Amino acid sequence: MYELVDDLTDAQKSTLLDRIEQLKECIREFADALDLTPDKASLSGLIRGKLSIDWANACDIQADKLSSYGPVNPDTAPTVNLHAQRLIALLNTAD
């Protein structure tokens, strides 16, 4: 488990955003030079794909699955399973 922390300064963010714009422009010029048109990707499709990965990960954190990595404390197994099932249920209802 991890939490993404924004540790960039405003100056770093500005520099990165400028670099990203330069990269995008370079890619546009390259595509134009080769007369290429970009494929369109559906945001909803990308989100559904990410959620399916999250669902598989949630299934893998159930105590019986975690035991393949080592013993799971029997006192914490019910808590692990409760939260895993809650995550799975929420992911199953995501559209």
Side-chain angles (χ1 to χ4, degrees):
M1 193 166 114
Y2 68 91
E3 181 178 342
L4 189 61
V5 177
D6 181 357
D7 61 347
L8 298 172
T9 66
D10 287 341
Q12 289 172 316
K13 288 177 188 177
S14 179
T15 300
L16 284 170
L17 289 172
D18 187 47
R19 178 64 46 84
I20 290 168
E21 284 305 315
Q22 291 173 8
L23 288 163
K24 288 167 70 174
E25 180 60 26
C26 184
I27 291 168
R28 279 190 292 272
E29 290 172 7
F30 185 30
D32 288 346
L34 298 176
D35 199 29
L36 300 173
T37 56
D39 284 338
K40 303 291 183 195
S42 161
L43 179 58
S44 63
L46 292 171
I47 291 170
R48 280 193 305 277
K50 174 68 170 100
L51 289 174
S52 71
I53 293 167
D54 291 343
W55 177 86
N57 288 334
C59 290
D60 286 343
I61 63 171
Q62 296 178 89
D64 60 330
K65 299 270 187 146
L66 287 175
S67 64
S68 65
Y69 297 99
V72 176
N73 182 334
D75 294 334
T76 60
T79 302
V80 169
N81 288 335
L82 171 68
H83 289 282
Q85 288 300 317
R86 288 177 60 198
L87 289 169
I88 291 165
L90 285 168
L91 289 162
N92 280 335
T93 61
D95 291 335

